[in-house]
């Protein structure tokens, strides 16, 4: 198994016990899929070749979200815009996003004069786009038209998870809580029993069971992103009617920044944290550290992305 983990100034590759830096500049997001490995930077979208070199494939400005899907590669930017490359190389803007009525209210608190696309979640039936902060919107036709946020939906989605077996089911890990839709985004509800912190960051669902979920969460932005006040944890949910349970085998919560999660197989997942890499084969009931020499500089950095190849 090869893992790629993104941090603000590098992309790390872990393969067969070896940890190495394969990119050494600004990185904001990371994803991989049918068209390869892609990362978003303040200088556009880059793709990694088989030789591990990186090539810029889209000069679309400040890229804050990237998603690789069978429908192509999607990129979100600041200011908020969505771009699509059906073959993974030629990106064109899917216009109309900021024409939505709610866009007048979108604002990113640290830079209130602007906002950005935090997450893009393409599925076979719809495209979800999360704007930080202010809306989770969707398109039923690949960005040709847009549907605005709904009153019951999250306002500050940081990541999403969907499952091919349940096309109308989606999860949102948001700053304003953990949200679930079972009707393709027409309505949402919070599911937080057992969570002792609800500033949610990264979410994945079990490839073998869409109702089993892992999420990372903190008490608020400072405990998620600030090393001096870090206090985060990872929680697991074993079914639709189950409560959340904290994963006790991971570091923290004190000193742990918001972790990023990825699945590696049925019941299996990995987590990248500021304290290292961890894996589980029983859906978070137990975790073990992945043995590697962890760079000391990363102990105060929040991870930006994680993919397993």
């Amino acid at each position: 198994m090869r893992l790629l983990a993104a941090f603000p100034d590098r992309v790390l590759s872990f393969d067969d016990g070896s940890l190495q830096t394969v990119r050494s500049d600004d990185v904001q997001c990371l994803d991989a899929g049918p068209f390869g490995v892609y990362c978003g930077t303040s200088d556009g979208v880059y793709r990694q070749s088989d030789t591990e070199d990186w090539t810029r494939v889209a000069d679309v400005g400040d890229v804050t979200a990237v998603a690789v899907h069978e429908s192509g590669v999607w990129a979100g930017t600041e200011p908020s815009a969505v771009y699509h490359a059906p073959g993974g190389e030629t990106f064109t803007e899917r216009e109309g996003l900021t024409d939505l009525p709610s866009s007048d209210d979108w604002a990113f608190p640290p830079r209130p004069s602007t906002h950005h696309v935090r997450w893009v979640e393409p599925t076979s039936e719809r495209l979800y786009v999360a704007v930080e902060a202010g809306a989770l919107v969707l398109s039923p036709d690949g960005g040709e038209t847009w549907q605005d946020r709904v009153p019951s939906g999250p306002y500050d989605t940081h990541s999403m998870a969907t499952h091919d077996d349940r096309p109308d089911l989606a999860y949102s890990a948001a700053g304003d809580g953990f949200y679930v839709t079972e009707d393709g985004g027409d309505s949402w509800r919070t599911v937080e029993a057992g969570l002792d912190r609800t500033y949610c960051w990264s979410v994945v669902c079990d490839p073998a069971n869409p109702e089993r979920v892992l999420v990372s969460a903190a008490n608020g932005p400072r405990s998620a992103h600030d090393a001096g006040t870090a206090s985060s944890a990872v929680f697991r949910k074993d079914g639709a009617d189950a409560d959340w349970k904290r994963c006790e085998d991971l570091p923290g919560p004190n000193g742990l920044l918001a972790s990023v999660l990825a699945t590696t197989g049925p019941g299996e997942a990995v987590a990248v944290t500021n304290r290292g890499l961890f894996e589980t084969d029983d859906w978070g009931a137990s975790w073990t550290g992945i043995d590697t020499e962890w760079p000391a500089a990363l102990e105060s950095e929040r991870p930006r992305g994680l993919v397993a190849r």
Side-chain angles (χ1 to χ4, degrees), residues 183-275:
D183 54 19
D186 290 339
S187 65
W188 295 82
R189 58 187 173 88
T190 55
V191 178
E192 297 173 353
L195 286 179
D196 64 5
R197 54 202 71 207
T198 55
Y199 182 89
C200 299
W201 191 255
S202 180
V203 57
V204 292
C205 57
D206 188 345
N209 184 347
E211 294 183 344
R212 301 179 76 197
V213 190
L214 296 171
V215 69
S216 61
N219 294 314
R222 291 189 63 194
S223 59
H225 311 313
D226 186 337
T229 53
S231 180
S232 299
V234 174
F235 297 81
R236 63 187 177 93
K237 196 172 189 295
D238 285 330
D241 298 326
D243 289 350
W244 293 99
K245 296 180 180 179
R246 186 189 293 182
C247 300
E248 302 288 354
D249 292 340
L250 292 167
N254 291 339
L256 190 70
L257 294 164
S259 305
V260 177
L261 307 164
T263 57
T264 54
E268 301 175 351
V270 289
V272 58
T273 77
N274 57 311
R275 301 294 180 83

Side-chain angles (χ1 to χ4, degrees), residues 157-182:
T157 295
H158 296 133
S159 69
M160 295 187 66
T162 53
H163 198 288
D164 289 342
D165 291 346
R166 294 275 301 277
D168 290 333
L169 175 69
Y171 301 104
S172 162
D176 47 323
F178 187 86
Y179 287 78
V180 180
T181 180
E182 296 181 275

Side-chain angles (χ1 to χ4, degrees), residues 39-293:
C39 72
T41 75
S42 58
D43 190 35
V45 179
Y46 286 76
R47 181 175 63 190
Q48 188 184 49
S49 70
D50 292 338
T51 62
E52 296 194 347
D53 291 330
W54 294 85
T55 302
R56 187 166 69 170
V57 293
D59 182 8
V60 293
D62 191 358
V63 178
T64 50
V66 65
V68 187
H69 184 255
E70 61 185 16
S71 63
V73 181
W74 298 84
T77 63
E78 181 178 307
S80 295
V82 173
Y83 296 83
H84 181 223
E89 291 189 0
T90 303
F91 286 75
T92 56
E93 184 177 357
R94 313 308 278 167
E95 298 180 349
L97 179 67
T98 53
D99 294 334
L100 290 169
S102 72
S103 65
D104 291 340
D105 300 327
W106 300 350
F108 182 52
R111 301 188 296 278
S113 61
T114 188
H115 45 77
H116 54 260
V117 174
R118 166 56 64 189
W119 193 264
V120 181
E121 182 75 11
T123 75
S124 60
E125 298 189 4
R126 57 188 62 86
L127 174 72
Y128 296 96
V129 172
V131 175
E132 188 175 42
L136 176 57
V137 306
L138 65 85
S139 172
D141 48 22
E144 293 292 335
T145 61
W146 297 97
Q147 297 177 8
D148 209 346
R149 67 188 185 195
V150 297
S152 59
Y155 275 58
D156 189 24
T157 295
H158 296 133
S159 69
M160 295 187 66
T162 53
H163 198 288
D164 289 342
D165 291 346
R166 294 275 301 277
D168 290 333
L169 175 69
Y171 301 104
S172 162
D176 47 323
F178 187 86
Y179 287 78
V180 180
T181 180
E182 296 181 275
D183 54 19
D186 290 339
S187 65
W188 295 82
R189 58 187 173 88
T190 55
V191 178
E192 297 173 353
L195 286 179
D196 64 5
R197 54 202 71 207
T198 55
Y199 182 89
C200 299
W201 191 255
S202 180
V203 57
V204 292
C205 57
D206 188 345
N209 184 347
E211 294 183 344
R212 301 179 76 197
V213 190
L214 296 171
V215 69
S216 61
N219 294 314
R222 291 189 63 194
S223 59
H225 311 313
D226 186 337
T229 53
S231 180
S232 299
V234 174
F235 297 81
R236 63 187 177 93
K237 196 172 189 295
D238 285 330
D241 298 326
D243 289 350
W244 293 99
K245 296 180 180 179
R246 186 189 293 182
C247 300
E248 302 288 354
D249 292 340
L250 292 167
N254 291 339
L256 190 70
L257 294 164
S259 305
V260 177
L261 307 164
T263 57
T264 54
E268 301 175 351
V270 289
V272 58
T273 77
N274 57 311
R275 301 294 180 83
L277 294 163
F278 298 84
E279 60 185 350
T280 177
D281 60 7
D282 52 15
W283 202 245
S286 62
W287 294 80
T288 57
I290 296 176
D291 188 21
T292 186
E293 186 174 343

